[in-house]
Amino acid sequence: NGIQYAQLSISGIRDARANDQSQNQLFKLTHRGYTGVYANGDGAKGEIECPFDWYKAWVNDPLKAQQMAEMVTRRTIGVKCCPVAGIPEPTEEEEHEDIVELTHELNLQ
């Protein structure tokens, strides 16, 4: 298959989850704002509810999440400015569609 995987050790992952501070994304996503909440005297755990619609969509409707991501990134796997051998570049029409979409998104029309 064409998916790349990282070499990680289970002990390294467990150590990072228990001890990392700023790079502990799993903890931070489920304890958002914990330092400010704690400093303000409003508890010690932060906010647990996920405020990000994209993450909710990714879990419940992956196709919708993909479409949401493509609206702010790109719809093609290749880009003209950074070609990769074997990956198709977008057609002129696809590039134009992305520019029109981004112009609309940024209210530049």
Side-chain angles (χ1 to χ4, degrees):
N1 83 39
I3 297 174
Q4 295 181 355
Y5 297 90
Q7 285 185 305
L8 303 169
S9 70
I10 300 235
S11 62
I13 292 169
R14 288 182 179 145
D15 178 66
R17 285 184 179 162
N19 299 305
D20 280 9
Q21 185 65 6
S22 63
Q23 295 300 317
N24 196 341
Q25 312 317 354
L26 182 59
F27 184 86
K28 288 177 134 191
L29 282 172
T30 58
H31 298 77
R32 289 178 314 95
Y34 66 94
T35 54
V37 170
Y38 179 78
N40 200 41
D42 295 329
K45 297 265 186 171
E47 295 293 321
I48 192 170
E49 182 68 29
C50 177
F52 307 110
D53 291 338
W54 186 85
Y55 283 108
K56 292 175 185 177
W58 191 13
V59 170
N60 297 309
D61 188 349
L63 179 59
K64 179 181 178 187
Q66 184 182 60
Q67 292 166 342
M68 290 168 68
E70 288 176 357
M71 286 181 68
V72 295
T73 58
R74 64 178 190 264
R75 286 175 259 202
T76 60
I77 61 173
V79 294
K80 280 194 185 219
C81 65
C82 188
V84 175
I87 302 294
E89 293 182 11
T91 64
E92 294 289 329
E93 183 179 316
E94 289 169 328
E95 274 195 330
H96 179 71
E97 288 173 7
D98 282 346
I99 291 169
V100 168
E101 182 77 36
L102 185 58
T103 300
H104 178 70
E105 177 82 21
L106 297 174
N107 294 316
L108 298 175
Q109 42 192 24

